[in-house]
Amino acid sequence: GNSVTQMEGPVTLSEEAFLTINCTYTATGYPSLFWYVQYPGEGLQLLLKATKADDKGSNKGFEATYRKETTSFHLEKGSVQVSDSAVYFCAVNTGTASKLTFGTGTRLQVTL
Amino acid sequence: NAGVTQTPKFRILKIGQSMTLQCAQDMNHNYMYWYRQDPGMGLKLIYYSVGAGITDKGEVPNGYNVSRSTTEDFPLRLELAAPSQTSVYFCASSPTGGQTGELFFGEGSRLTVL
């Protein structure tokens, strides 16, 4: 079946630091890839997505590029803020019912 | 804008009790899902539905049941609660199937079984 592997957290950064959260996947066919974010006490919300190889998803200063050759979808941000502190989940779509397979999540803590 | 609404937000159950987690969405989405989130384990799909009257098992369906009598509602029933069902439960909906589908999540229901 499909699977997603994320780097383990927590990741602690100072404000304005560069962020990378690694994500690799295994999937059959041509999956779509997603990053979801979960702020404390809330449900998950879509951060960005990419639906085909070499696509770049971007939102709120975050970016991720769909790399089929390395089966990766790493999340990056050039300058993090305290308000970016959250748990980030990488996910891959597994079929026509939009069933997502999620990674285990990476907690990001940004300090002043 | 209500979106996906889950009730209750918190509940403590004794072993062997039963309960229903309610989920309602007002976006007219056909697809609905129940996930559970355990610490360090990510989200696991319990059940999903592609439309009223149609449900199917996900990755971890044992100990749960669902029904989908209307487009709006997708309740999750726990029969004979066990400590292993202590988790945070998320309901989600999606407007379309296919690879570009985005899920909209509720705020979650935290269940503790003692």
Side-chain angles (χ1 to χ4, degrees), chain B residues 24-54:
Chain B
Q25 53 94 5
D26 62 358
M27 297 174 283
N28 201 34
H29 289 171
N30 285 326
Y31 297 81
M32 295 189 74
Y33 309 82
W34 274 106
Y35 284 89
R36 58 178 287 173
Q37 183 182 28
D38 300 315
M41 299 295 290
L43 278 76
K44 302 291 185 185
L45 181 64
I46 305 171
Y47 271 96
Y48 68 100
S49 169
V50 301
I54 305 170

mmCIF file of all heavy atoms in Angstrom, chain B residues 24-54:
data_model
loop_
_atom_site.group_PDB
_atom_site.id
_atom_site.type_symbol
_atom_site.label_atom_id
_atom_site.label_comp_id
_atom_site.label_asym_id
_atom_site.label_seq_id
_atom_site.Cartn_x
_atom_site.Cartn_y
_atom_site.Cartn_z
ATOM 1 N N ALA B 24 -21.365 16.770 11.267
ATOM 2 C CA ALA B 24 -22.256 17.386 10.292
ATOM 3 C C ALA B 24 -21.476 18.406 9.471
ATOM 4 O O ALA B 24 -20.638 19.120 10.004
ATOM 5 C CB ALA B 24 -23.431 18.063 10.991
ATOM 6 N N GLN B 25 -21.778 18.439 8.165
ATOM 7 C CA GLN B 25 -21.165 19.454 7.307
ATOM 8 C C GLN B 25 -22.246 20.161 6.503
ATOM 9 O O GLN B 25 -23.245 19.554 6.119
ATOM 10 C CB GLN B 25 -20.096 18.826 6.388
ATOM 11 C CG GLN B 25 -20.550 17.641 5.566
ATOM 12 C CD GLN B 25 -21.017 17.968 4.176
ATOM 13 O OE1 GLN B 25 -20.946 19.105 3.712
ATOM 14 N NE2 GLN B 25 -21.514 16.951 3.475
ATOM 15 N N ASP B 26 -22.021 21.453 6.278
ATOM 16 C CA ASP B 26 -23.028 22.268 5.589
ATOM 17 C C ASP B 26 -22.522 22.748 4.243
ATOM 18 O O ASP B 26 -22.987 23.777 3.724
ATOM 19 C CB ASP B 26 -23.439 23.447 6.476
ATOM 20 C CG ASP B 26 -22.285 24.385 6.788
ATOM 21 O OD1 ASP B 26 -21.146 24.106 6.356
ATOM 22 O OD2 ASP B 26 -22.514 25.390 7.480
ATOM 23 N N MET B 27 -21.579 22.020 3.653
ATOM 24 C CA MET B 27 -20.982 22.428 2.382
ATOM 25 C C MET B 27 -21.473 21.587 1.220
ATOM 26 O O MET B 27 -20.973 21.712 0.097
ATOM 27 C CB MET B 27 -19.452 22.329 2.503
ATOM 28 C CG MET B 27 -18.889 23.274 3.556
ATOM 29 S SD MET B 27 -17.117 23.053 3.840
ATOM 30 C CE MET B 27 -17.123 21.564 4.844
ATOM 31 N N ASN B 28 -22.428 20.680 1.480
ATOM 32 C CA ASN B 28 -22.981 19.802 0.455
ATOM 33 C C ASN B 28 -21.911 18.900 -0.171
ATOM 34 O O ASN B 28 -21.978 18.610 -1.373
ATOM 35 C CB ASN B 28 -23.704 20.616 -0.629
ATOM 36 C CG ASN B 28 -24.704 19.773 -1.395
ATOM 37 O OD1 ASN B 28 -25.326 18.870 -0.851
ATOM 38 N ND2 ASN B 28 -24.858 20.065 -2.676
ATOM 39 N N HIS B 29 -20.959 18.485 0.645
ATOM 40 C CA HIS B 29 -19.906 17.601 0.142
ATOM 41 C C HIS B 29 -20.398 16.163 0.094
ATOM 42 O O HIS B 29 -21.053 15.688 1.012
ATOM 43 C CB HIS B 29 -18.669 17.679 1.045
ATOM 44 C CG HIS B 29 -17.933 18.956 0.925
ATOM 45 N ND1 HIS B 29 -16.890 19.302 1.772
ATOM 46 C CD2 HIS B 29 -18.050 19.984 0.047
ATOM 47 C CE1 HIS B 29 -16.403 20.475 1.429
ATOM 48 N NE2 HIS B 29 -17.111 20.913 0.387
ATOM 49 N N ASN B 30 -20.036 15.461 -0.959
ATOM 50 C CA ASN B 30 -20.425 14.058 -1.066
ATOM 51 C C ASN B 30 -19.568 13.148 -0.193
ATOM 52 O O ASN B 30 -20.028 12.167 0.340
ATOM 53 C CB ASN B 30 -20.325 13.589 -2.515
ATOM 54 C CG ASN B 30 -21.461 14.124 -3.374
ATOM 55 O OD1 ASN B 30 -22.581 14.278 -2.902
ATOM 56 N ND2 ASN B 30 -21.183 14.393 -4.623
ATOM 57 N N TYR B 31 -18.275 13.474 -0.095
ATOM 58 C CA TYR B 31 -17.342 12.572 0.570
ATOM 59 C C TYR B 31 -17.160 12.983 2.022
ATOM 60 O O TYR B 31 -16.909 14.144 2.318
ATOM 61 C CB TYR B 31 -15.984 12.593 -0.147
ATOM 62 C CG TYR B 31 -16.049 12.108 -1.569
ATOM 63 C CD1 TYR B 31 -16.478 12.948 -2.587
ATOM 64 C CD2 TYR B 31 -15.690 10.811 -1.887
ATOM 65 C CE1 TYR B 31 -16.551 12.500 -3.890
ATOM 66 C CE2 TYR B 31 -15.757 10.359 -3.187
ATOM 67 C CZ TYR B 31 -16.198 11.200 -4.181
ATOM 68 O OH TYR B 31 -16.274 10.756 -5.466
ATOM 69 N N MET B 32 -17.233 11.989 2.906
ATOM 70 C CA MET B 32 -16.979 12.240 4.320
ATOM 71 C C MET B 32 -16.122 11.130 4.900
ATOM 72 O O MET B 32 -16.156 9.990 4.410
ATOM 73 C CB MET B 32 -18.293 12.386 5.097
ATOM 74 C CG MET B 32 -19.111 13.603 4.672
ATOM 75 S SD MET B 32 -20.525 13.945 5.731
ATOM 76 C CE MET B 32 -19.714 14.632 7.192
ATOM 77 N N TYR B 33 -15.362 11.475 5.948
ATOM 78 C CA TYR B 33 -14.346 10.576 6.484
ATOM 79 C C TYR B 33 -14.292 10.680 8.009
ATOM 80 O O TYR B 33 -14.555 11.738 8.565
ATOM 81 C CB TYR B 33 -12.950 10.960 5.953
ATOM 82 C CG TYR B 33 -12.889 11.119 4.462
ATOM 83 C CD1 TYR B 33 -13.287 12.301 3.844
ATOM 84 C CD2 TYR B 33 -12.431 10.086 3.653
ATOM 85 C CE1 TYR B 33 -13.240 12.453 2.474
ATOM 86 C CE2 TYR B 33 -12.378 10.227 2.275
ATOM 87 C CZ TYR B 33 -12.786 11.411 1.690
ATOM 88 O OH TYR B 33 -12.745 11.551 0.330
ATOM 89 N N TRP B 34 -13.900 9.580 8.626
ATOM 90 C CA TRP B 34 -13.542 9.585 10.029
ATOM 91 C C TRP B 34 -12.107 9.090 10.166
ATOM 92 O O TRP B 34 -11.753 8.010 9.680
ATOM 93 C CB TRP B 34 -14.457 8.684 10.858
ATOM 94 C CG TRP B 34 -15.703 9.347 11.309
ATOM 95 C CD1 TRP B 34 -16.957 9.158 10.822
ATOM 96 C CD2 TRP B 34 -15.832 10.312 12.360
ATOM 97 N NE1 TRP B 34 -17.850 9.948 11.504
ATOM 98 C CE2 TRP B 34 -17.193 10.658 12.456
ATOM 99 C CE3 TRP B 34 -14.919 10.912 13.243
ATOM 100 C CZ2 TRP B 34 -17.667 11.583 13.388
ATOM 101 C CZ3 TRP B 34 -15.392 11.822 14.165
ATOM 102 C CH2 TRP B 34 -16.743 12.152 14.237
ATOM 103 N N TYR B 35 -11.295 9.908 10.859
ATOM 104 C CA TYR B 35 -9.911 9.546 11.166
ATOM 105 C C TYR B 35 -9.739 9.540 12.679
ATOM 106 O O TYR B 35 -10.422 10.264 13.405
ATOM 107 C CB TYR B 35 -8.935 10.585 10.603
ATOM 108 C CG TYR B 35 -8.706 10.516 9.115
ATOM 109 C CD1 TYR B 35 -9.508 11.223 8.230
ATOM 110 C CD2 TYR B 35 -7.652 9.770 8.592
ATOM 111 C CE1 TYR B 35 -9.277 11.171 6.858
ATOM 112 C CE2 TYR B 35 -7.416 9.717 7.226
ATOM 113 C CZ TYR B 35 -8.236 10.426 6.374
ATOM 114 O OH TYR B 35 -7.998 10.381 5.022
ATOM 115 N N ARG B 36 -8.785 8.757 13.124
ATOM 116 C CA ARG B 36 -8.346 8.866 14.502
ATOM 117 C C ARG B 36 -6.871 9.263 14.526
ATOM 118 O O ARG B 36 -6.096 8.873 13.636
ATOM 119 C CB ARG B 36 -8.562 7.578 15.295
ATOM 120 C CG ARG B 36 -7.887 6.344 14.773
ATOM 121 C CD ARG B 36 -8.147 5.149 15.686
ATOM 122 N NE ARG B 36 -7.385 5.244 16.949
ATOM 123 C CZ ARG B 36 -7.523 4.416 17.966
ATOM 124 N NH1 ARG B 36 -8.412 3.420 17.911
ATOM 125 N NH2 ARG B 36 -6.799 4.543 19.062
ATOM 126 N N GLN B 37 -6.500 10.052 15.526
ATOM 127 C CA GLN B 37 -5.143 10.568 15.628
ATOM 128 C C GLN B 37 -4.571 10.148 16.970
ATOM 129 O O GLN B 37 -5.026 10.598 18.018
ATOM 130 C CB GLN B 37 -5.116 12.094 15.507
ATOM 131 C CG GLN B 37 -3.711 12.671 15.536
ATOM 132 C CD GLN B 37 -3.699 14.187 15.463
ATOM 133 O OE1 GLN B 37 -4.639 14.859 15.887
ATOM 134 N NE2 GLN B 37 -2.635 14.740 14.919
ATOM 135 N N ASP B 38 -3.579 9.308 16.913
ATOM 136 C CA ASP B 38 -2.892 8.863 18.116
ATOM 137 C C ASP B 38 -1.517 9.519 18.165
ATOM 138 O O ASP B 38 -0.895 9.749 17.129
ATOM 139 C CB ASP B 38 -2.751 7.343 18.124
ATOM 140 C CG ASP B 38 -4.098 6.651 18.092
ATOM 141 O OD1 ASP B 38 -4.985 7.087 18.846
ATOM 142 O OD2 ASP B 38 -4.273 5.694 17.317
ATOM 143 N N PRO B 39 -1.015 9.806 19.347
ATOM 144 C CA PRO B 39 0.275 10.495 19.471
ATOM 145 C C PRO B 39 1.382 9.787 18.702
ATOM 146 O O PRO B 39 1.600 8.581 18.873
ATOM 147 C CB PRO B 39 0.536 10.480 20.979
ATOM 148 C CG PRO B 39 -0.811 10.389 21.596
ATOM 149 C CD PRO B 39 -1.623 9.525 20.660
ATOM 150 N N GLY B 40 2.088 10.535 17.872
ATOM 151 C CA GLY B 40 3.215 9.973 17.132
ATOM 152 C C GLY B 40 2.841 9.007 16.025
ATOM 153 O O GLY B 40 3.718 8.395 15.421
ATOM 154 N N MET B 41 1.549 8.876 15.759
ATOM 155 C CA MET B 41 1.115 7.868 14.781
ATOM 156 C C MET B 41 0.431 8.489 13.571
ATOM 157 O O MET B 41 -0.025 7.783 12.695
ATOM 158 C CB MET B 41 0.151 6.881 15.449
ATOM 159 C CG MET B 41 0.758 6.119 16.588
ATOM 160 S SD MET B 41 2.091 5.039 16.053
ATOM 161 C CE MET B 41 1.152 3.809 15.143
ATOM 162 N N GLY B 42 0.305 9.796 13.532
ATOM 163 C CA GLY B 42 -0.389 10.388 12.408
ATOM 164 C C GLY B 42 -1.872 10.091 12.467
ATOM 165 O O GLY B 42 -2.426 9.764 13.511
ATOM 166 N N LEU B 43 -2.524 10.184 11.332
ATOM 167 C CA LEU B 43 -3.962 9.933 11.243
ATOM 168 C C LEU B 43 -4.221 8.618 10.531
ATOM 169 O O LEU B 43 -3.600 8.321 9.517
ATOM 170 C CB LEU B 43 -4.661 11.047 10.470
ATOM 171 C CG LEU B 43 -5.000 12.315 11.241
ATOM 172 C CD1 LEU B 43 -3.772 13.151 11.463
ATOM 173 C CD2 LEU B 43 -6.059 13.126 10.506
ATOM 174 N N LYS B 44 -5.160 7.856 11.078
ATOM 175 C CA LYS B 44 -5.555 6.595 10.467
ATOM 176 C C LYS B 44 -7.034 6.673 10.075
ATOM 177 O O LYS B 44 -7.873 7.098 10.866
ATOM 178 C CB LYS B 44 -5.354 5.429 11.439
ATOM 179 C CG LYS B 44 -3.922 5.272 11.932
ATOM 180 C CD LYS B 44 -2.990 4.825 10.832
ATOM 181 C CE LYS B 44 -1.590 4.560 11.389
ATOM 182 N NZ LYS B 44 -0.627 4.222 10.302
ATOM 183 N N LEU B 45 -7.348 6.217 8.867
ATOM 184 C CA LEU B 45 -8.716 6.275 8.368
ATOM 185 C C LEU B 45 -9.538 5.145 8.961
ATOM 186 O O LEU B 45 -9.154 3.968 8.867
ATOM 187 C CB LEU B 45 -8.710 6.198 6.844
ATOM 188 C CG LEU B 45 -10.055 6.265 6.146
ATOM 189 C CD1 LEU B 45 -10.716 7.621 6.383
ATOM 190 C CD2 LEU B 45 -9.893 6.011 4.646
ATOM 191 N N ILE B 46 -10.687 5.480 9.546
ATOM 192 C CA ILE B 46 -11.558 4.481 10.162
ATOM 193 C C ILE B 46 -12.631 4.022 9.165
ATOM 194 O O ILE B 46 -12.755 2.843 8.860
ATOM 195 C CB ILE B 46 -12.243 5.051 11.424
ATOM 196 C CG1 ILE B 46 -11.206 5.584 12.404
ATOM 197 C CG2 ILE B 46 -13.091 3.971 12.102
ATOM 198 C CD1 ILE B 46 -11.823 6.362 13.568
ATOM 199 N N TYR B 47 -13.428 4.954 8.690
ATOM 200 C CA TYR B 47 -14.479 4.721 7.704
ATOM 201 C C TYR B 47 -14.573 5.938 6.808
ATOM 202 O O TYR B 47 -14.198 7.036 7.185
ATOM 203 C CB TYR B 47 -15.839 4.506 8.395
ATOM 204 C CG TYR B 47 -16.164 3.090 8.764
ATOM 205 C CD1 TYR B 47 -15.910 2.624 10.048
ATOM 206 C CD2 TYR B 47 -16.751 2.220 7.851
ATOM 207 C CE1 TYR B 47 -16.217 1.315 10.417
ATOM 208 C CE2 TYR B 47 -17.061 0.903 8.207
ATOM 209 C CZ TYR B 47 -16.788 0.472 9.484
ATOM 210 O OH TYR B 47 -17.097 -0.823 9.842
ATOM 211 N N TYR B 48 -15.145 5.724 5.627
ATOM 212 C CA TYR B 48 -15.426 6.836 4.757
ATOM 213 C C TYR B 48 -16.719 6.584 3.996
ATOM 214 O O TYR B 48 -17.252 5.468 3.976
ATOM 215 C CB TYR B 48 -14.267 7.111 3.796
ATOM 216 C CG TYR B 48 -14.035 6.054 2.753
ATOM 217 C CD1 TYR B 48 -14.503 6.217 1.448
ATOM 218 C CD2 TYR B 48 -13.326 4.898 3.053
ATOM 219 C CE1 TYR B 48 -14.270 5.251 0.479
ATOM 220 C CE2 TYR B 48 -13.096 3.931 2.098
ATOM 221 C CZ TYR B 48 -13.569 4.111 0.818
ATOM 222 O OH TYR B 48 -13.342 3.147 -0.139
ATOM 223 N N SER B 49 -17.219 7.637 3.372
ATOM 224 C CA SER B 49 -18.476 7.549 2.627
ATOM 225 C C SER B 49 -18.362 8.419 1.382
ATOM 226 O O SER B 49 -17.873 9.551 1.453
ATOM 227 C CB SER B 49 -19.631 8.031 3.497
ATOM 228 O OG SER B 49 -20.801 8.202 2.730
ATOM 229 N N VAL B 50 -18.820 7.904 0.260
ATOM 230 C CA VAL B 50 -18.773 8.661 -0.994
ATOM 231 C C VAL B 50 -20.127 9.274 -1.339
ATOM 232 O O VAL B 50 -20.261 9.933 -2.370
ATOM 233 C CB VAL B 50 -18.266 7.798 -2.163
ATOM 234 C CG1 VAL B 50 -16.868 7.271 -1.862
ATOM 235 C CG2 VAL B 50 -19.214 6.664 -2.473
ATOM 236 N N GLY B 51 -21.103 9.083 -0.471
ATOM 237 C CA GLY B 51 -22.412 9.680 -0.683
ATOM 238 C C GLY B 51 -23.428 9.061 0.261
ATOM 239 O O GLY B 51 -23.149 8.042 0.910
ATOM 240 N N ALA B 52 -24.588 9.668 0.343
ATOM 241 C CA ALA B 52 -25.636 9.166 1.229
ATOM 242 C C ALA B 52 -25.950 7.710 0.900
ATOM 243 O O ALA B 52 -26.099 7.339 -0.265
ATOM 244 C CB ALA B 52 -26.879 10.033 1.109
ATOM 245 N N GLY B 53 -26.006 6.876 1.944
ATOM 246 C CA GLY B 53 -26.319 5.469 1.784
ATOM 247 C C GLY B 53 -25.153 4.580 1.450
ATOM 248 O O GLY B 53 -25.295 3.354 1.350
ATOM 249 N N ILE B 54 -23.952 5.165 1.308
ATOM 250 C CA ILE B 54 -22.770 4.381 0.905
ATOM 251 C C ILE B 54 -21.643 4.621 1.904
ATOM 252 O O ILE B 54 -21.237 5.767 2.126
ATOM 253 C CB ILE B 54 -22.274 4.795 -0.492
ATOM 254 C CG1 ILE B 54 -23.396 4.697 -1.516
ATOM 255 C CG2 ILE B 54 -21.090 3.922 -0.912
ATOM 256 C CD1 ILE B 54 -23.045 5.320 -2.853
#
